[in-house]
């Protein structure tokens, strides 16, 4: 019964949103979890909550013209998807990457709605970005682009309306340039963006939050099975913000990270990426903006060109780069090699085939909307500090983040118990747990 409904529902979604496979993938995963729950809760069916929740409240697309260092005119496309404001102002990151198009941002905005709901904080969901490629651009070119991008975006956002942050290709540098332009246009110093630098309104722990949060959630899943990260070999993909702070926290909890990667290849360091090596990675990636290959040369370890880390044996995997980076085959290799837990630092890094492999093997699998929610949760904490015009200590923010990740774990357990309660389906738990709060708020607020 539920299955037929999912098929009919998806047929409509696909027809209304053609050529957006990533969006279809994200919606299907939620529909499969939520539809059986709806069968028992007809009030949501009558109000067509699921049909409404897949329709963005507003989509903004705009031209971003700018000039490169040689004086040549460049044109990019900018987007902001204001997906759902039932729980609070739209909140979610901006992605600058050449693969960005409407479908990618709609999938990310859709995921964000449920993720933000899971954080327990009052935030709606949104996402934006551009097909601009920051790679190989000078600081000046990045600034010119960010200023042009914000010139248009500024009319659609605000500290009580829509609060963007970083994602792939958008870090502290880009947030700074965009904040500067917003302030100049509006003559207002407000918390309109999160991920700001500490000396002008940022929060301690926000840079660390996604990686730390993902590691806390994996530790909670393992603790639930009377196990822990201590002594575990971990593979991490990516080498950006999320990957870096995952390595830091895994080390602090007694695990060992043996890989990092970028879109060119993977480094394998069986001795483990310790604090000193991580400092090298941070300098390489955040300051020099180099390639992870240079790590292999520096520390005399293996570099596997053009490959992802999933064939390297590990106890725990942290995909922290990009969507669909773990195929069904990759998942099989991970399980075969003894992987017992996966924490999705990235958004939707596992394909549907891969998710089925993990679920059938009954390993601990935390989907992105639960596992990487620590980033946006700490953005929410940054917003609270901005509103109060004060700053909390590192310890205070970290404790709040940790508490939020444990609360997300509890929600997943509550809604994701399968059979006699031994196996937790964290996908189902996160989807239903995230959905209920948004759906109830939508019912309360009438037909909007
Ligand atoms: P960064 O831009 O800091 O780093 C991105 C990393 O992913 C880089 O190492 C990059 O390599 C790699 N990457 C990008 N595209 C590909 C690709 N097609 N194949 C292989 N590797 C790729 O971004 P973040 O660390 O912030 O984001 C990583 C993931 O985490 C994303 O999926 C993002 O949506 C998600 N996320 C981020 C949050 C945050 O707070 N920043 C919060 C929640 C989720 P290269 O340099 O070669 O491009
Ligand atoms: O995917 C995500 O949750 C983010 N990129 C962070 C969003 C935010 O508003 O901090």
């Amino acid at each position: 019964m539920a299955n037929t409904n999912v098929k009919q529902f998806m047929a409509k979604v696909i027809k209304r949103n053609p050529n957006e496979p990533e969006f279809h993938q994200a919606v299907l995963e939620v529909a499969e979890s939520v539809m059986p729950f709806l069968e028992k809760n007809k009030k949501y069916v009558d109000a067509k909550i699921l049909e409404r929740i897949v329709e963005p409240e507003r989509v903004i697309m705009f031209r971003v013209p700018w000039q490169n260092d040689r004086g040549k005119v460049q044109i990019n496309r900018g987007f902001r998807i204001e997906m759902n404001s039932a729980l609070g102002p739209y909140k979610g990151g901006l992605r600058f990457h050449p693969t960005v198009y409407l479908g990618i941002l709609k999938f990310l905005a859709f995921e964000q709605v449920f993720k933000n709901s899971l954080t327990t904080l009052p935030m709606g969901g949104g996402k934006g970005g551009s097909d601009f490629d920051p790679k190989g651009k000078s600081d000046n070119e990045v600034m010119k682009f960010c200023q042009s991008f914000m010139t248009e975006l500024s009319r659609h956002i605000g500290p009580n309306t829509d609060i963007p942050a970083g994602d792939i290709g958008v870090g502290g540098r880009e947030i700074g340039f965009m904040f500067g332009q917003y302030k100049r246009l509006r003559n207002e110093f407000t918390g309109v963006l999160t991920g700001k630098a500490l000396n002008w309104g940022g929060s301690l722990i926000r840079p660390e939050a996604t990686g730390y949060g993902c590691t806390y959630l994996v530790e909670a899943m393992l603790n639930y099975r009377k196990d822990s990260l201590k002594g575990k070999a971990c593979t991490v993909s990516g080498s950006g913000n999320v990957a870096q702070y995952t390595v830091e926290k895994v080390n602090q909890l007694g695990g060992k990270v043996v890989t990092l990667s970028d879109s060119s290849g993977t480094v394998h360091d069986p001795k483990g990426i310790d604090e000193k090596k991580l400092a090298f990675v941070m300098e390489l990636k955040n300051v020099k903006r180099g390639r992870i290959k240079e790590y292999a040369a520096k520390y005399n370890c293996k570099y596997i060109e053009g490959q992802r880390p999933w064939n390297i044996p590990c106890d725990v995997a942290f995909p922290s780069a990009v969507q669909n980076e773990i195929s069904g085959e990759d998942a099989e290799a991970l399980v075969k090699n003894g992987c017992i837990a996966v924490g999705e630092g990235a958004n939707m890094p596992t394909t549907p085939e891969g998710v089925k492999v993990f679920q059938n093997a009954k390993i601990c699998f935390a989907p992105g909307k639960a596992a990487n929610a620590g980033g946006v949760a700490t953005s929410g904490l940054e917003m609270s500090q901005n509103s109060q015009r004060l700053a909390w200590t590192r310890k205070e923010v970290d404790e709040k983040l940790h508490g939020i990740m444990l609360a997300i774990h509890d929600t997943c357990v509550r809604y994701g118990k399968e059979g006699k309660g031994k196996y937790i389906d964290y996908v189902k738990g996160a989807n239903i747990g995230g959905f209920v709060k948004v759906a109830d708020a939508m019912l309360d607020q009438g037909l909007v």
Side-chain angles (χ1 to χ4, degrees):
M1 173 72 175
N3 229 344
T4 338
N5 281 349
V6 171
K7 272 192 192 141
Q8 286 169 356
F9 172 73
M10 283 312 300
K12 279 191 205 154
V13 169
I14 292 167
K15 196 161 172 230
R16 277 175 76 72
N17 303 274
N19 306 316
E20 296 175 359
E22 298 84 3
F23 181 59
H24 306 159
Q25 183 183 333
V27 172
L28 175 62
E29 190 210 275
V30 169
E32 279 179 337
S33 295
V34 165
M35 207 65 99
F37 174 81
L38 293 185
E39 302 286 325
K40 289 179 242 144
N41 293 276
K42 287 288 182 199
K43 60 180 177 180
Y44 302 123
V45 179
D46 296 339
K48 295 210 172 167
I49 295 293
L50 198 57
E51 287 82 349
R52 270 199 270 162
I53 227 168
V54 298
E55 198 67 34
E57 288 179 13
R58 191 176 299 104
V59 173
I60 302 146
M61 270 176 75
F62 49 97
R63 181 204 296 159
V64 189
W66 58 283
Q67 244 179 351
N68 72 11
D69 288 346
R70 285 172 293 124
K72 289 244 158 28
V73 172
Q74 310 287 311
I75 314 291
N76 285 99
R77 188 170 285 176
F79 303 85
R80 186 72 184 165
I81 318 297
E82 297 184 335
M83 198 75 195
N84 194 299
S85 61
L87 297 182
Y90 309 106
K91 180 83 195 88
L94 296 169
R95 177 176 292 191
F96 292 170
H97 196 271
T99 55
V100 162
Y101 77 105
L102 189 60
I104 291 273
L105 296 179
K106 277 169 69 181
F107 118 63
L108 288 163
F110 182 74
E111 290 277 298
Q112 199 80 46
V113 173
F114 303 92
K115 185 196 302 189
N116 293 5
S117 163
L118 285 168
T119 66
T120 70
L121 301 176
M123 299 182 289
K127 198 89 188 188
S130 175
D131 58 0
F132 173 73
D133 186 0
K135 272 203 200 83
K137 304 286 192 299
S138 68
D139 285 352
N140 183 56
E141 288 175 325
V142 171
M143 182 178 76
K144 287 279 161 55
F145 172 80
C146 287
Q147 290 180 338
S148 181
F149 182 83
M150 183 50 88
T151 300
E152 174 59 34
L153 187 67
S154 66
R155 23 173 140 245
H156 308 288
I157 62 175
N160 296 309
T161 310
D162 184 354
I163 304 92
D167 193 79
I168 293 178
V170 178
R173 175 182 60 170
E174 293 74 17
I175 293 291
F177 292 150
M178 288 190 276
F179 185 83
Q181 184 71 352
Y182 182 89
K183 185 161 59 77
R184 189 174 170 207
L185 290 164
R186 301 286 272 260
N187 195 24
E188 270 176 17
F189 195 113
T190 59
V192 68
L193 293 165
T194 59
K196 300 184 291 298
L198 273 181
N199 46 345
W200 46 273
S203 173
L204 285 159
I205 300 288
R206 176 62 188 90
E208 293 89 340
T210 312
Y212 276 21
C214 186
T215 313
Y216 289 146
L217 195 82
V218 167
E219 179 77 349
M221 289 197 298
L222 291 171
N223 287 171
Y224 193 79
R225 290 192 176 188
K226 312 255 175 294
D227 200 347
S228 78
L229 274 164
K230 200 164 182 2
K232 299 282 188 297
C234 303
T235 46
V236 174
S237 68
S239 46
N241 172 269
V242 179
Q244 291 168 13
Y245 288 104
T246 298
V247 175
E248 185 162 290
K249 187 50 77 178
V250 167
N251 285 340
Q252 286 171 11
L253 295 181
K256 177 171 87 168
V257 175
V258 297
T259 66
L260 280 173
S261 71
D262 59 24
S263 55
S264 311
T266 295
V267 291
H268 181 201
D269 185 350
K271 290 195 205 117
I273 300 166
D274 60 20
E275 213 179 308
K276 208 168 134 220
K277 294 172 180 174
L278 179 61
F280 171 82
V281 172
M282 288 183 172
E283 171 79 10
L284 174 69
K285 285 284 161 183
N286 310 347
V287 182
K288 295 187 182 142
R289 301 189 190 269
R291 308 303 296 158
I292 200 65
K293 190 181 180 175
E294 295 168 49
Y295 178 100
K298 167 95 179 163
Y299 294 109
N300 197 22
C301 66
K302 207 159 141 195
Y303 173 68
I304 316 152
E305 177 86 33
Q307 283 201 28
R308 299 181 290 225
W310 315 129
N311 282 311
I312 292 162
C314 67
D315 302 306
V316 181
F318 289 94
S320 310
V322 73
Q323 66 277 352
N324 291 328
E325 57 171 313
I326 299 185
S327 66
E329 275 176 21
D330 293 332
E332 273 163 19
L334 280 164
V335 170
K336 194 171 129 254
N337 287 331
C339 176
I340 56 162
V342 177
E344 292 192 327
N347 284 302
M348 206 168 75
T350 312
T351 60
E353 299 75 32
V355 174
K356 293 275 171 322
V357 171
F358 293 145
Q359 288 178 324
N360 290 339
K362 296 213 166 0
I363 69 166
C364 297
F365 172 67
K369 56 173 82 71
N372 69 44
V376 73
T378 308
S379 279
L381 301 176
E382 182 172 330
M383 288 162 64
S384 302
Q385 293 168 81
N386 290 165
S387 298
Q388 295 178 72
R389 298 199 192 284
L390 50 76
W392 299 331
T393 64
R394 194 178 163 83
K395 186 161 172 277
E396 279 174 302
V397 182
D398 196 25
E399 278 173 6
K400 286 191 190 352
L401 167 65
H402 193 207
I404 288 170
M405 297 317 294
L406 294 180
I408 293 175
H409 185 266
D410 285 351
T411 302
C412 291
V413 170
R414 179 172 166 208
Y415 290 102
K417 263 203 179 114
E418 285 284 303
K420 288 206 179 96
K422 285 209 182 89
Y423 175 65
I424 307 299
D425 180 345
Y426 287 86
V427 175
K428 178 174 140 191
N431 285 336
I432 300 179
F435 174 85
V436 171
K437 245 179 90 181
V438 181
D440 286 343
M442 287 173 74
L443 286 181
D444 291 345
Q445 292 170 22
L447 196 51
V448 288

